[in-house]
Amino acid sequence: IPAGIIIPGIFGALDPVLAKHFVACLGEVDPSTVGTIIAIPAVPSTLLALVVPKLMDKYTADRVMTIGVILLAACSICLGLSDPDSQQSLGWALPLPRGSSAQWVVQVAISIALGTSS
């Protein structure tokens, strides 16, 4: 049950800063593109809502929620390290140039994984 409170709280904390993060990582992108990327996690989250009850019956709710929280933590770390400015603030960053194709792939993949974790 605590994970059911933690995950939405983390999304609530991430949403205000995601637009700035995506602009820092992807370069000058228009607001509609940023909004679309921010909306990506809703798709896997909605689709998995159909399957998760069966997974909870099979593997127990604690295991399923634990996997979700671990995935959320891993995605949050990757999200922070994918920012080109994290080299200065964290001392380490993923070697992805700003606005590169690889940066786009990473940002969309992290968004999908964030939706999966919820």
Side-chain angles (χ1 to χ4, degrees):
I1 300 235
I5 296 168
I6 293 170
I7 291 175
I10 291 173
F11 273 119
L14 281 178
D15 280 346
V17 297
L18 279 178
K20 194 173 190 180
H21 168 79
F22 288 135
V23 169
C25 292
L26 304 175
E28 295 302 318
V29 292
D30 59 283
S32 63
T33 302
V34 171
T36 302
I37 296 170
I38 289 173
I40 287 173
V43 175
S45 179
T46 303
L47 294 175
L48 285 172
L50 303 171
V51 179
V52 167
K54 291 181 183 182
L55 290 174
M56 287 183 166
D57 288 341
K58 186 174 181 180
Y59 298 109
T60 74
D62 289 341
R63 285 185 182 172
V64 174
M65 295 301 282
T66 300
I67 290 170
V69 170
I70 291 170
L71 182 58
L72 178 66
C75 290
S76 298
I77 291 168
C78 290
L79 196 65
L81 292 176
S82 67
D83 192 325
D85 296 331
S86 65
Q87 179 67 37
Q88 291 174 333
S89 58
L90 300 174
W92 193 82
L94 296 174
L96 300 170
R98 180 181 174 169
S100 68
S101 297
Q103 187 68 270
W104 276 90
V105 169
V106 166
Q107 296 307 316
V108 171
I110 290 172
S111 295
I112 292 169
L114 281 170
T116 303
S117 70
S118 66

